[in-house]
Amino acid sequence: MSTADAVAPAIETQASGSPVPRTWPAWLIVLLQVASTAVSVTPSINNFSRFASMMLGPLVCLTLFVLWGLFFSRLPWRERLTVLAMALVLGIGATLVSHESMLVPIWIYGVPLMMFVVALVTTMAARQSSPWRLRWFGLALAVVWAMFPALRLEGFTGNYLPQFAGRWRESKEAHLTASGRGDMESAIDPRYSGWQPTTVEWPAFRGPLGTSATDDVTVPCDWSTTAPTNVWQIPIGAGWSSFACVSGRLFTQEQRGTQELVCCYAADSGALIWQNACATRFWDVVSGAGPRATPTYHDGKLFTYGAKAELRCLDASTGKLVWHHDLTQEVKAELPVWGFSNSPVVVGQVVIVYAGGEGDNGLLAFDRDTGEPRWRFASRGMNFSSAQPVQLAGQTLVLFTNTAGVHALDPESGQVIWSHKPRDWAGPPICQPQQIDAESVVVPLGDGIGLARLKISRASDTWQVETQWTSKQLRPSYNDFVSYEGFLYGFDQNIFTCIDAATGKRRWKQGRYGFGQVLLLRPVGQLIVLGEDGAAVLLTATPDRHEERGRFAAIAGKTWNHPIVVGDRLYVRNGEMAACFALR
């Protein structure tokens, strides 16, 4: 016997003489997959990093697992190839017979489960003969892959936790569509004809100034003693649009089957007044189905933007189409992974939307009366935020953010007045810039990255922009923030937070409401938070502490839509229902 043979460790063998399988590399790979999954469901990490971990983790781990199985497992070669073939055939078979929404779950859950059961069977049946192990492998893999055809994915929460339902259970959207309220006709209820708008209370996304603030509530609320009372509640189609409210009418967008609808409801009763349909449907694996943008009202017209870049101008009284542009066809608008989410912005004579099309067809402006193109600004890539009108140094500007930074444009001509890229700038843009005072704005740095405060000054025709601070102590994702008396209130991912607007330093961080939304009742210094679970929470807007003044269950189910307040009425909706509550 040679010296090398004397010192080499002996490989443990079974009774048959075959080596016992090596399993510890398989368990290391399984642990790596567990760590990757844990990263994807950790809210303190920004969404794009979590999404990348969720999708790429199985790819990396599966590659390593196949290498282990083929070259390092010590299983007999016939067994290695048979197990690989069984996993592949059963996985493809499950994919082919599963609901179309289950493709991603099969990848991010089925593949890890498959790796786990292979490692488990290899460990538990290590000393059994190869034929018996193959039977156990076949049974375990069949059980794993058999689960998926019986399920349907309805989306994910903000924490990237899946929302499964039985495959053959009728969804609320399907039930609503079957009720006959999803046809193509636009018809006005005769009881509501002859509408003449006299007041424009909440004309667009996040209110009159785009700040998610109302001046209507003048008496403080205390929900700990008197909770708001329900006025009405109705089923509604899927989507993440908010409401616009004008003279007793609510406008929103929703999905019902293959139709993307713009709907008008009576604010006092929830009755459907009219609907206008477009034959299109958008769905993504995280958010589910439906349009994302909120209608914008201006001078008798309603401007809407669909999830697939259908820009429409409607008569707000009847819902009749005035003009429209299909921007995916006209400018080759590139569909973002979560659909077009920016709401139309009307400034002066133009209506502005982001398309991200070819050439200079990025941010587009159209004549609000005729729909004729007025100007365009080049920008590509995913962008989920809306253009934001502001008044700086006595001039009306539109702020637009993209991967290159913040741009201030003249709304009538599209001329770039200034551009600035703050420190730590990332992308893609999701939340709205917020004007703090006559010469300052706060802009989100990216999805779950943080905020930056910009100081803007003007001497004659020369503009100067500087970053006053950047802060990672309030990191909004797709939930905007509000400004009140020198402080900012919003979500640091999924935890409610207050920071000092002068310094960016945190004052407090408390209140787990999921990935919810916030609304400011400015005259009384109170905040309404609509949690991701549909619970409404009343807070005092104070930098001293996190102070709740009561809560109640407003609507059930995942709620990412912005709430609105008009007079003493709170209007809320999600992808399944809408409701109105009397605050006093």
Side-chain angles (χ1 to χ4, degrees), residues 214-445:
T214 179
D215 293 320
D216 282 355
V217 179
T218 57
V219 177
C221 302
D222 189 352
W223 295 354
S224 62
T225 58
T226 306
T229 55
N230 182 247
V231 179
W232 54 258
Q233 182 170 299
I234 59 171
I236 200 168
W240 306 113
S241 173
S242 180
F243 286 117
C245 184
V246 178
S247 290
R249 292 193 172 186
L250 296 170
F251 304 97
T252 193
Q253 295 188 93
E254 52 192 273
Q255 188 80 45
R256 298 181 196 160
T258 59
Q259 309 301 325
E260 187 177 78
L261 301 176
V262 181
C263 293
C264 173
Y265 295 96
D268 60 353
S269 65
L272 179 66
I273 297 175
W274 58 254
Q275 64 184 31
N276 185 287
C278 176
T280 188
R281 179 179 177 84
F282 176 80
W283 180 91
D284 77 76
V285 67
V286 174
S287 306
R292 281 80 171 101
T294 299
T296 298
Y297 173 88
H298 186 88
D299 194 23
K301 295 184 177 65
L302 197 68
F303 302 91
T304 66
Y305 200 41
K308 290 187 174 180
E310 177 84 11
L311 176 64
R312 301 166 72 83
C313 173
L314 308 176
D315 184 318
S317 177
T318 63
K320 298 296 184 182
L321 182 67
V322 179
W323 55 260
H324 78 103
H325 290 282
D326 183 349
L327 298 179
T328 57
Q329 298 297 320
E330 296 176 19
V331 302
K332 300 298 185 290
E334 186 177 354
L335 184 65
V337 64
W338 295 316
F340 284 96
S341 306
N342 66 103
S343 299
V345 173
V346 176
V347 185
Q349 191 59 29
V350 298
V351 55
I352 304 169
V353 294
Y354 176 75
E358 294 180 343
D360 58 356
N361 292 295
L363 189 69
L364 304 177
F366 299 89
D367 186 283
R368 60 181 174 85
D369 292 329
T370 66
E372 293 298 316
R374 291 285 295 269
W375 54 259
R376 59 198 68 197
F377 174 75
S379 183
R380 296 302 301 271
M382 290 191 295
N383 196 322
F384 305 96
S385 65
S386 305
Q388 182 75 30
V390 293
Q391 287 281 341
L392 293 170
Q395 183 170 343
T396 299
L397 302 172
V398 170
L399 297 185
F400 171 68
T401 58
N402 62 11
T403 54
V406 186
H407 312 279
L409 286 75
D410 178 81
E412 288 299 320
S413 66
Q415 176 187 358
V416 179
I417 306 300
W418 54 260
S419 294
H420 180 75
K421 189 173 185 178
R423 298 187 303 271
D424 302 324
W425 187 258
I430 291 183
C431 293
Q432 296 301 106
Q434 182 96 338
Q435 184 166 358
I436 301 302
D437 55 37
E439 57 179 17
S440 298
V441 296
V442 172
V443 294
L445 295 169

Side-chain angles (χ1 to χ4, degrees), residues 42-75:
T42 302
S44 59
I45 301 172
N46 72 75
N47 276 344
F48 270 84
S49 297
R50 294 162 60 203
F51 188 73
S53 180
M54 182 173 70
M55 299 303 295
L56 296 179
L59 176 62
V60 173
C61 293
L62 179 61
T63 302
L64 294 174
F65 203 81
V66 170
L67 290 174
W68 162 78
L70 289 178
F71 303 110
F72 302 102
S73 65
R74 292 182 184 155
L75 290 167

Side-chain angles (χ1 to χ4, degrees), residues 410-578:
D410 178 81
E412 288 299 320
S413 66
Q415 176 187 358
V416 179
I417 306 300
W418 54 260
S419 294
H420 180 75
K421 189 173 185 178
R423 298 187 303 271
D424 302 324
W425 187 258
I430 291 183
C431 293
Q432 296 301 106
Q434 182 96 338
Q435 184 166 358
I436 301 302
D437 55 37
E439 57 179 17
S440 298
V441 296
V442 172
V443 294
L445 295 169
D447 179 14
I449 304 299
L451 300 174
R453 177 166 176 162
L454 309 183
K455 182 178 180 180
I456 301 100
S457 58
R458 180 186 184 187
S460 185
D461 291 331
T462 302
W463 293 78
Q464 183 174 354
V465 184
E466 61 176 308
T467 302
Q468 290 187 302
W469 52 254
T470 60
S471 172
K472 296 189 177 181
Q473 297 190 333
L474 198 163
R475 299 166 298 158
S477 182
Y478 47 88
N479 33 19
D480 290 297
F481 57 97
V482 297
S483 172
Y484 180 69
E485 294 189 348
F487 296 92
L488 305 178
Y489 300 87
F491 285 86
D492 183 39
Q493 292 288 67
N494 66 335
I495 305 177
F496 205 70
T497 303
C498 170
I499 68 171
D500 192 323
T503 64
K505 301 297 183 183
R506 181 182 296 143
R507 295 299 297 264
W508 51 259
K509 179 178 178 178
Q510 191 175 348
R512 294 181 179 271
Y513 310 120
F515 286 77
Q517 304 292 347
V518 60
L519 172 68
L520 171 65
L521 310 179
R522 188 170 17 232
V524 295
Q526 292 183 319
L527 306 166
I528 294 177
V529 173
L530 187 60
E532 187 177 13
D533 62 354
V537 184
L538 181 68
L539 301 176
T540 301
T542 173
D544 299 329
R545 62 193 175 279
H546 171 261
E547 181 183 346
E548 284 194 13
R549 301 298 299 273
R551 64 167 67 199
F552 70 99
I555 48 179
K558 182 172 67 179
T559 304
W560 289 343
N561 314 63
H562 285 65
I564 75 169
V565 167
V566 175
D568 67 344
R569 295 290 189 266
L570 168 66
Y571 298 96
V572 297
R573 66 155 291 190
N574 57 21
E576 297 180 352
M577 64 180 66

